[in-house]
Structure formats: structure tokens, C-alpha cells
Amino acid sequence: MWTFRAGLISGGDSVKGFEVEASDRPCGRVAWASYVPGESYLVVTVRHHLHPTQHVIPAGAVVSVDADQRTLRLITTRREVEQSPQHHDPSVPVDLS
């Protein structure tokens, strides 16, 4: 769950700034990503009409990455992303313990 699926990300690749597509609709942009095997995650900035929020998504939820279009697709719905844990400072690593 906390590792990117094989073949999606290769060494040196970054998905920071990529648009995020949930399984049902667009949901935001990658503010931060960790690529450490077993500890990989995204911090996704979800757009709301009032204010954006940042949510932690396990890397295993990513099902495809399009480097040319700078997008990635999740297996989760936008609602599931919005219900995932919030992270208020994307530049600070998430403590997964």
C-alpha cells in the first residue's frame, strides 16, 4: 500500500505538480510525494470552493501516471481522497508510524 506499483515511477522521476484524477473525477494536484519503498505517499491539494486542503494518499492508490500530460490517476474516489488524513504542511514529511 505504501509503495508505488511496479513500473509507474522510475528512479529520478517526480510527480510533484501533477494533476490528480480520482476514479470518478478530477480532484487536485500533487503538492508533495515521498518515493521511499514501503513509505511512499502523495500529499494531494484538493480544490474546494472555499479553500484548498491537503490529504495524504498511499502511493499504492496510484494506478497510472502520464508524464507527458503530467497527470496521475487514483483507484480511489474524490470523496475517499477528501476523507483521507489531512496534512497541513506538505513540505514536512508524514510520520507513517
Side-chain angles (χ1 to χ4, degrees):
M1 173 149 116
W2 296 100
T3 301
F4 284 96
R5 296 168 194 245
L8 287 182
I9 303 289
S10 58
D13 286 350
S14 174
V15 295
K16 186 175 178 183
F18 280 35
E19 291 293 323
V20 178
E21 298 275 334
S23 62
D24 58 345
R25 59 189 166 137
C27 74
R29 182 181 301 259
V30 178
W32 183 261
S34 170
Y35 306 96
V36 178
E39 299 177 9
S40 301
Y41 61 88
L42 307 171
V43 176
V44 176
T45 301
V46 177
R47 299 178 201 109
H48 294 280
H49 57 279
L50 298 176
H51 63 280
T53 57
Q54 287 82 30
H55 298 270
V56 178
I57 307 298
V62 178
V63 293
S64 67
V65 175
D66 185 332
D68 294 332
Q69 296 294 317
R70 296 186 50 79
T71 60
L72 60 81
R73 184 173 260 309
L74 302 176
I75 196 168
T76 57
T77 65
R78 179 178 170 128
R79 182 172 172 85
E80 290 170 325
V81 171
E82 291 172 340
Q83 293 176 340
S84 67
Q86 286 194 27
H87 187 58
H88 300 287
D89 188 353
S91 65
V92 175
V94 173
D95 181 8
L96 298 177
S97 57

